[in-house]
Amino acid sequence: MKLIGSLTSPYVRKVSIVLAEKKLECTFELDSPWASDSKVPSMNPLGKVPVLLLDDATPLYDSRVIVEYLDSTTANNRLIPANGRERLMVRRWEALADGVNDAAVSAFLEAKRPLEQQSADWISRQREKISRGLKSMSDDLGPHPWCHARGFSLADIAVGVALGYLDFRFPDIRWRGQHPNLAKLYDKLMLRHAFTETVPVA
Ligand SMILES: N[C@@H](CCC(=O)N[C@@H](CS)C(=O)NCC(=O)O)C(=O)O
């Protein structure tokens, strides 16, 4: 298998962490979808990373499909409950965390446009999504040790990646002070090898 992506993408990071947690062998190919010579559009018509190239050369996207596939390949360290409401709730955590990333990526890209083309309204709309997303994560986590009752899961990976991406792109968002329970979870996640070896790099 080969993972194609950039080092700054939170979705690529989520997949990298799942690969490490599942102890799966995979090579990595650096390819920025923003580069004019990027090969990403030839593998994913949407032109987005991550793409996972299977051994038979089938390209898989997006990150949610990829992590579902990876989790199903081995019985060890299951990260997504097999079925029922538990599965649904872990996938909902992932959707929320990925949605915070969507808003953060969108606000970051907007702020990179020339000043006269930027929309302050757009950036503030995305920041509101981030702020509501953080509150919802914090409320749902409450006093529990992990996002999902059964223990460490894809939900914690997705939330940890979103929090790390905010640190990386929006250090002015002081989520630790507002949500100490998320800070506690994050500190615990950062003790895991899979998280420390995949810190985003500009
Ligand atoms: N929902 C997708 C989001 C992927 C995504 O937006 N990736 C960004 C990098 S952070 C990208 O490739 N953007 C290029 C583009 O939008 O053209 C996933 O989970 O894989």
Side-chain angles (χ1 to χ4, degrees), residues 6 9-11 14 33-34 46-50 62-64 98 102 105:
S6 64
S9 166
Y11 317 97
K14 183 179 64 175
W34 303 107
L46 305 173
K48 295 184 180 200
V49 290
D62 65 12
S63 67
R64 291 186 217 178
D98 279 12
D102 293 343
V105 167

Side-chain angles (χ1 to χ4, degrees), residues 13 17 189-200:
R13 184 167 186 231
I17 292 173
L189 292 172
M190 288 307 286
L191 295 174
R192 297 178 83 93
H193 176 65
F195 275 78
T196 49
E197 72 173 16
T198 55
V199 176

Side-chain angles (χ1 to χ4, degrees), residues 139-154:
D139 289 349
D140 287 354
L141 176 62
H144 306 295
W146 301 109
C147 295
H148 178 62
R150 282 273 179 97
F152 178 77
S153 73
L154 176 65

